[in-house]
């Protein structure tokens, strides 16, 4: 369990979005650019970069089953660290 004063919670890009991220399903999906202009995303907690480039994350946890402009991305490390605190469930897409 992470500390409540973890920098990713107190100074990261998640500030102001905490309630939108509580008790929601997440989807483990590959990252795909939305356009040439919208070619990467960042983890909403640690700002780790998702992009189809070497050295960047290629997949992660998303608030949408498909990448879309309003979706939040969460890297695997932050998912593991915060899944209990935020009450996430993993949606596998199967019934």
């Amino acid at each position: 369990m992470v500390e409540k004063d973890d920098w990713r919670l107190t100074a990261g890009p998640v500030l102001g979005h905490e309630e939108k991220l509580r008790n929601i399903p997440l989807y483990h999906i590959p990252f795909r650019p939305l356009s040439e202009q919208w070619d990467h995303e960042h983890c909403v907690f640690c700002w780790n970069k998702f992009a189809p480039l070497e050295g960047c994350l290629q997949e992660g946890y998303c608030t949408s089953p498909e990448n879309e402009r309003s979706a939040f991305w969460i890297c695997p490390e932050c998912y593991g660290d915060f899944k209990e605190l935020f009450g996430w469930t993993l949606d596998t897409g199967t019934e």
Side-chain angles (χ1 to χ4, degrees):
M1 187 76 167
V2 295
E3 299 296 321
K4 291 189 180 194
D5 63 349
D6 186 296
W7 72 270
R8 297 169 293 174
L9 296 172
T10 61
V14 72
L15 289 176
H17 300 291
E18 300 93 342
E19 289 309 310
K20 295 177 200 171
L21 293 168
R22 290 198 190 282
N23 303 310
I24 60 169
L26 294 178
Y27 304 86
H28 187 252
I29 61 172
F31 174 79
R32 300 282 184 258
L34 293 173
S35 69
E36 286 185 26
Q37 293 75 32
W38 198 304
D39 63 351
H40 71 279
E41 280 290 347
H42 293 274
C43 174
V44 71
F45 290 95
C46 70
W47 212 240
N48 208 340
K49 188 175 183 177
F50 292 89
L53 302 169
E54 188 174 329
C56 294
L57 293 169
Q58 306 294 311
E59 61 183 42
Y61 298 88
C62 190
T63 57
S64 171
E66 297 181 18
N67 185 16
E68 54 187 72
R69 292 184 190 268
S70 63
F72 291 103
W73 281 86
I74 301 164
C75 74
E77 182 176 348
C78 290
Y79 172 80
D81 289 347
F82 298 125
K83 67 183 175 184
E84 289 180 27
L85 180 65
F86 280 83
W88 294 323
T89 55
L90 188 57
D91 191 318
T92 60
T94 60
E95 297 290 322

